[in-house]
Structures are given as C-alpha cells and as structure tokens.
Amino acid sequence: MQLATIQLENIEYRPAAYYFDRLRHLKDPVWLDSGLNSPESSMHSGRFDILSAAPIEHIQFDPQQSSHAGGNLQPLRDLLARIAPIHNSEDIPFCGGLIGYLSYEANHNFHKIPERNAREANKPQVRMGLYTCALVLDHLKRSAQLVTHPDCPERVHRQLRDTLQSQNSFSATEDFQLIQPFRASQSPRQYLEKIQKIIQYLGAGDCYQVNLAQHFSAPYRGDCAQAYLQLRAITPTPYGAYLGFADQKILSLSPERFIQVEKNLVQTWPIKGTAPRSTNPAEDAQLARQLLDSEKNRAENLMIVDLMRNDLSTCCVPGSIRVPGLYELHSFPTVHHLVSRVTGQLAESQDPVSVLERCLPGGSITGAPKRRAMQIIAELEDRDRGIYCGCIGYLSSCGSMDTNIAIRTLEADNTELHAWGGGGIVMDSNPEAEFQETLDKIQPLLKQLERSF
C-alpha cells in the first residue's frame, strides 16, 4: 500500500495554553496535554502537546448495544479508514486521525459483565472525532508544527491556521463558577461497608484485589475550559486532556499512561501505590521512602504488572513481553506513585484497536483477576463510572496510538461537574486508610476549584 504524506507548517513555539485559548472557541476542541507549564514543571511533563478542533466527522456509540463483525470497536477502524494511512514519524506522533475517549464500561460485553439496569443510557460509551489538522508542540525540540493530513478539507486547514496565527483577542465566555461545593454521592459509612464486603470476597478467594471508587458532584455554570486551565496550573501531569464537545466536557489531569503503540511497540505504564505529598521536604522524602519500601504496595503493583503482561500477551508476539521498569517512584505535585512499565511487540494480525479491545479497562483500576473484579465493581458501585477509569487519547493514521487512564478526571454535562476517587482493596487493607487514599487523590482538584470558583 502506498502511504500518503502529511503537510507540515512551522509556527511560533509558544506555551500550549496560549494556542488552546484560541482553538477552544472552535467546534469540538481537543487538547492532549503534556503538562508543561514552564521549564520548572518539565519533571511532570511529556514531550508532545496535541491540539485540534473542527473534526470532519464525529462518532459516538455503545458497544454493548450493537455487535460488529470485526470486534467491539470496529466502528473506530471504519472511521479511521476514511482517511489515507500516513508514513510513521517519531517526531510527529499524530498525523490526523481519531481523538476522544472510551468509557470504563465500553468493553463490558467482551469481559461478560452484565449490563446494570440503571445504565446512564444517554451518555455515549465511545466518543471520537476524526481530526485532520492539528497543532503538535514538541517540547524536546521546542518546535510547533501545524500537521495537515492530505484528506483535510481546505476550509478546516485554513480555519485552524488562521485561528492559531491570529493576533486578535477572542470574545469572552461566561466565567466558570461552582454553584455549590462538591458532595459525595454516598456517606463515608456506606463506602466503608463496601470495602468490608470486598474483603469478604477476597477472603472467599474470589479475587486478590478489587478497585473501589466513590463519586462526587457539584452544580456549575460557565466555561469549563477556565476550570481546566486552573487545575493544570497547580497539577501538571504528563497525560492530561481537555475534550470540549458541545454537550460534554472532559477535564483530565491523569498521571497514568494506559497504552501506547509506536512502530508496533506496545507499552503500558500501570500505577499502583499512592502516598500524599508534604510541603516539608524531610517529611515528603520520608513519605516517598515509605511508599517505595511498602510490601503491600509493591505486592499490589506486581499483581497488576502480571495482569497487564497477560493482557498484552493476547495481542503481542509470543515471547515478546518485557518489564523494563518495576516499582519506579514518580512524584507529582500532590501525590507520589509507584509506576511500572510493561512492553510487547504487536502481532502482525493485530492493530491498535485490537489492543484496546483486549486490554480495556486497565488492570490498575479494576483489580485482579480482572473479570471477577469488574463483576464486583458493577455490583457494589451504584452508578456507571463513564469516562472515569476509561481512556482518553488518539489513534493516528500513521498507526500510532497513545491513551491515558482517565483518573483524576472530571466530566461535565450542561449542569453538573462529576468527579471520582478510588483505590485498590486487598486482604490486609485498612478501610479507613483506603477511604482516605481516595480523598488524597481527588480532593486537591476539588478543593482548588472550590477555592477559586
């Protein structure tokens, strides 16, 4: 097959937030955010920012409600096939393609998880736009390039180029405002009772670990992009994202990569093990050391590494699975994490969509064994997770893919802002400590919004 060539235009290298402020006024703006605010924040950041808007097509569907001959996510392959495949380039991760999200529940039928009666039917399980022109910021080379796919309509290319290069100020939007503080959808007592139920399941041999989440919400009005800019300023993360669909906004401050596929190398970076940060340097170092030395957290991390090795083995070349990083300490502004890395070589019969079909949702946010853990989650959690613990990212026409696990992630409909916090429960878990860990993960974001707005 003859591959097409993208068009590249150099523009001025500026902070991603500068360009986002321009593009966010267009239709369906998206920002896959490396977390780089300034040179000082580079330790929390990735190499690339990808920003786009004005997709030429848009797809949303629920894999649970329909069957597809090519697999649960075949509509993604079909939509990506609408544009020509492109030569792969390590300096251009996204060459036009799909950007959007898959919810935690998107792969439930693959894992044989029964559909709950209270499913939020009007929320799409999979939502992607086909973006053919995007700004790629390379923070390693300090370059900015407008990447245009050959199948991009000229009107879309012209609109994005003119918007990015415009010196005009843009019309003000309604300021973001929380109408009330965030409230949990269940009491601490109810959450602790669910932890006790999980410990009973663990004692009976059903699972080794189960992730349990709790939900928070607050009414709001105004422009969610303002809230996202505020949050990323205090919590830069390497796998952040903002998706600005007309009836749904996603604000993700995720520190966790789910799956990356690049030149047929598949990587996943599961996080398991969390400790809060301290403003006192000596105390902060002690918290980090305690996390590194924690047998409980190391055992949980290894459990998820084994789960992800098994998941990747279903779509990778036999014998190619490796664990090049184990129990690595990654420190972010509000928490320390233990992070591992699992890699494999994509089998010739598989593609990036196959990897999502086999591996979604990520094991770090289900527990192990995955299917039984997901069944217990569906039983105990009183509402769908939706975007939370799903994934956000891109599928490029050059064959690459990169996605996060949508933790530290908020979802806005037109009136309510939703958030979740969760953690893995094992036999020797202390319920009160596990409850506090869920707050350590999400409350810095919620409290910042409450203070600012």
Side-chain angles (χ1 to χ4, degrees):
M1 179 188 299
Q2 187 165 2
L3 301 180
T5 303
I6 51 175
Q7 174 186 335
L8 301 177
E9 298 171 73
N10 291 319
I11 65 174
E12 184 178 2
Y13 178 73
R14 287 176 174 259
Y18 171 86
Y19 288 117
F20 174 66
D21 193 52
R22 280 151 172 72
L23 289 182
R24 68 187 176 99
H25 302 277
L26 302 181
K27 178 179 173 56
D28 294 341
V30 292
W31 179 9
L32 302 182
D33 183 1
S34 72
L36 186 67
N37 293 328
S38 65
E40 291 74 28
S41 67
S42 60
M43 66 178 290
H44 309 299
S45 70
R47 176 178 174 182
F48 298 103
D49 276 82
I50 300 170
L51 301 98
S52 190
I56 62 171
E57 290 192 48
H58 186 269
I59 188 172
Q60 58 185 64
F61 64 97
D62 185 347
Q64 320 289 50
Q65 302 298 328
S66 55
S67 58
H68 306 283
N72 288 349
L73 304 178
Q74 183 61 32
L76 297 182
R77 294 187 182 90
D78 296 341
L79 183 55
L80 190 58
R82 298 288 296 273
I83 60 175
I86 296 292
H87 286 281
N88 186 290
S89 169
E90 64 182 26
D91 293 330
I92 305 294
F94 181 75
C95 303
L98 304 180
I99 298 177
Y101 74 81
L102 295 89
S103 76
Y104 168 82
E105 288 84 15
N107 219 17
H108 264 190
N109 55 0
F110 175 79
H111 294 289
K112 298 181 172 59
I113 308 301
E115 185 174 354
R116 72 173 80 209
N117 294 328
R119 172 169 298 283
E120 298 166 63
N122 51 350
K123 289 191 176 180
Q125 299 295 307
V126 180
R127 191 166 193 172
M128 293 267 181
L130 183 59
Y131 293 86
T132 51
C133 188
L135 175 67
V136 175
L137 296 173
D138 184 337
H139 301 301
L140 179 64
K141 295 190 172 183
R142 296 183 64 81
S143 67
Q145 293 183 298
L146 187 62
V147 178
T148 305
H149 190 280
D151 292 330
C152 177
E154 176 56 29
R155 60 174 176 77
V156 173
H157 170 244
R158 185 169 57 249
Q159 182 184 37
L160 264 67
R161 181 193 60 203
D162 292 350
T163 300
L164 290 168
Q165 296 182 335
S166 173
Q167 300 301 314
N168 297 330
S169 59
F170 292 88
S171 58
T173 55
E174 182 185 0
D175 287 343
F176 179 85
Q177 180 184 1
L178 283 182
I179 299 172
Q180 295 175 6
F182 282 92
R183 297 185 63 179
S185 61
Q186 59 190 318
S187 68
R189 179 183 58 80
Q190 290 172 314
Y191 190 76
L192 293 172
E193 287 174 352
K194 291 177 180 180
I195 292 178
Q196 293 292 356
K197 179 65 175 176
I198 288 174
I199 291 174
Q200 291 176 17
Y201 276 127
L202 299 176
D206 284 57
C207 278
Y208 305 109
Q209 182 196 74
V210 178
N211 186 283
L212 183 67
Q214 59 174 325
H215 167 261
F216 305 84
S217 64
Y220 83 97
R221 66 167 71 90
D223 184 3
C224 289
Q226 291 181 357
Y228 181 71
L229 290 168
Q230 173 78 237
L231 293 176
R232 78 178 295 272
I234 64 156
T235 312
T237 53
Y239 307 109
Y242 180 86
L243 307 179
F245 302 127
D247 58 344
Q248 183 186 35
K249 309 293 187 291
I250 306 296
L251 296 68
S252 182
L253 288 302
S254 176
E256 183 169 359
R257 169 176 274 154
F258 177 36
I259 300 283
Q260 181 191 47
V261 180
E262 191 173 51
K263 295 183 178 178
N264 292 327
L265 177 67
V266 184
Q267 298 191 65
T268 183
W269 297 60
I271 288 176
K272 188 52 66 177
T274 302
R277 298 295 304 266
S278 171
T279 55
N280 180 299
E283 184 177 322
D284 189 61
Q286 182 181 16
L287 289 166
R289 174 50 56 189
Q290 288 173 346
L291 178 62
L292 278 168
D293 293 343
S294 166
E295 290 187 13
K296 173 182 177 293
N297 282 297
R298 290 164 74 91
E300 288 186 59
N301 192 291
L302 184 60
M303 196 183 308
I304 301 307
V305 166
D306 284 342
L307 187 158
M308 295 310 299
R309 289 174 62 208
N310 181 69
D311 279 359
L312 290 192
S313 71
T314 65
C315 48
C316 288
V317 174
S320 71
I321 306 299
R322 300 286 184 271
V323 184
L326 191 63
Y327 314 140
E328 295 176 346
L329 181 72
H330 288 211
S331 297
F332 296 90
T334 60
V335 290
H336 299 291
H337 283 308
L338 287 186
V339 184
S340 295
R341 182 159 60 104
V342 185
T343 68
Q345 195 68 26
L346 187 66
E348 287 188 12
S349 60
Q350 307 296 315
D351 63 8
V353 176
S354 305
V355 182
L356 293 176
E357 288 174 333
R358 305 294 180 84
C359 299
L360 183 74
S364 65
I365 46 74
T366 61
K370 181 186 280 189
R371 179 175 296 167
R372 183 63 183 126
M374 291 176 68
Q375 290 170 346
I376 295 170
I377 290 168
E379 173 195 335
L380 295 181
E381 293 185 8
D382 55 5
R383 58 182 294 141
D384 284 355
R385 290 181 174 185
I387 183 60
Y388 175 67
C389 294
C391 65
I392 302 168
Y394 68 78
L395 289 150
S396 176
S397 56
C398 64
S400 296
M401 177 178 77
D402 206 358
T403 56
N404 74 6
I405 288 190
I407 54 176
R408 320 293 196 276
T409 296
L410 296 88
E411 177 186 2
D413 52 30
N414 288 325
T415 59
E416 292 274 333
L417 191 59
H418 303 274
W420 296 259
I425 312 302
V426 293
M427 269 298 293
D428 58 350
S429 286
N430 177 295
E432 288 75 17
E434 296 292 351
F435 175 80
Q436 184 59 45
E437 182 177 316
T438 69
L439 302 182
D440 291 340
K441 291 172 178 176
I442 194 63
Q443 274 201 337
L445 302 182
L446 307 188
K447 295 299 184 186
Q448 179 64 28
L449 291 180
E450 290 172 354
R451 284 193 298 267
S452 299
F453 300 105

